[in-house]
Amino acid sequence: MKELKPAFRFLAIFVGFYLSMNILYGLWISSYDLQADAVTSIVTRQSSALLNIFGEDTTTKPKALAPSITIVNSSGVVISVFEGCNGINVMIVFLSFLFAFGGQWNKLIWFLPVGLVLIYIANLGRVMTLYYVAEYWQDYFYYVHKYVLTAFLYAIIFALWWWWIEKINGASLRAAITNK
């Protein structure tokens, strides 16, 4: 049982931090009632601006009586961006792991913002990709949204975790898994 203590400690911190942050996030989101939260609004506006750089003529509009922002082109609404698309939940998973795994604070102080910025940029790319899929390949929207881009975001999270464990902290994931 003693050899399992670190695993239980990790799980307790991970789950405790994850639940606490999600409760706070849920309270914050619910304060917006029937309008989009600030982060969703920012992500949508920035995605639209980037789409414009890539030749799409888009604007954003709040959706009436709904907590989402739409990305619109000359044909009309292409996608609606809801709070689940703002990337905060994925960032909470990332943060929960970092705090549960631990490490030196002087390394965490620079790695944490780098990881959050990379996740944010990946999420902007995700929203932009969803726009293109909705506009040009509508039949694939559900599959790409539900599976492909979710896997993409979590692959980035896993890569950041690996970087944190192996490259920043010098621990061996392989040794931890094989118990060597």
Side-chain angles (χ1 to χ4, degrees):
M1 193 65 155
K2 188 177 182 178
E3 63 272 356
L4 294 178
K5 190 175 179 182
F8 287 134
R9 180 187 171 283
F10 174 87
L11 284 174
I13 293 170
F14 182 90
V15 170
F17 190 84
Y18 179 80
L19 290 175
S20 299
M21 292 302 293
N22 268 294
I23 288 168
L24 290 173
Y25 177 57
L27 291 170
W28 180 70
I29 286 295
S30 65
S31 72
Y32 281 89
D33 199 27
L34 288 178
Q35 61 182 345
D37 64 276
V39 177
T40 300
S41 182
I42 291 166
V43 166
T44 308
R45 284 195 318 267
Q46 289 176 343
S47 295
S48 177
L50 288 168
L51 286 164
N52 291 337
I53 290 170
F54 289 107
E56 298 292 324
D57 185 22
T58 66
T59 59
T60 62
K61 285 186 190 176
K63 197 167 184 180
L65 299 174
S68 68
I69 307 285
T70 58
I71 297 180
V72 181
N73 66 16
S74 60
S75 303
V77 173
V78 179
I79 60 170
S80 292
V81 182
F82 292 86
E83 76 63 36
C85 298
N86 63 20
I88 291 179
N89 249 333
V90 181
M91 291 177 187
I92 290 172
V93 172
F94 171 71
L95 292 171
S96 299
F97 178 88
L98 288 185
F99 288 120
F101 186 82
Q104 296 175 8
W105 283 101
N106 63 335
K107 293 177 180 178
L108 184 64
I109 220 139
W110 70 264
F111 185 78
L112 199 137
V114 166
L116 292 174
V117 166
L118 288 173
I119 293 167
Y120 187 85
I121 291 167
N123 192 57
L124 288 176
R126 176 181 165 270
V127 173
M128 291 171 56
T129 301
L130 287 172
Y131 170 89
Y132 285 115
V133 172
E135 181 66 10
Y136 302 107
W137 305 285
Q138 284 181 335
D139 293 343
Y140 301 103
F141 185 84
Y142 176 80
Y143 177 78
V144 170
H145 179 265
K146 180 87 173 164
Y147 301 108
V148 174
L149 293 176
T150 299
F152 167 73
L153 270 182
Y154 279 98
I156 289 171
I157 298 295
F158 288 128
L160 287 167
W161 288 346
W162 171 83
W163 188 18
W164 175 248
I165 292 168
E166 295 243 350
K167 300 301 179 188
I168 307 299
N169 284 295
S172 172
L173 223 120
R174 182 171 289 145
I177 292 170
T178 60
N179 232 358
K180 291 182 181 176

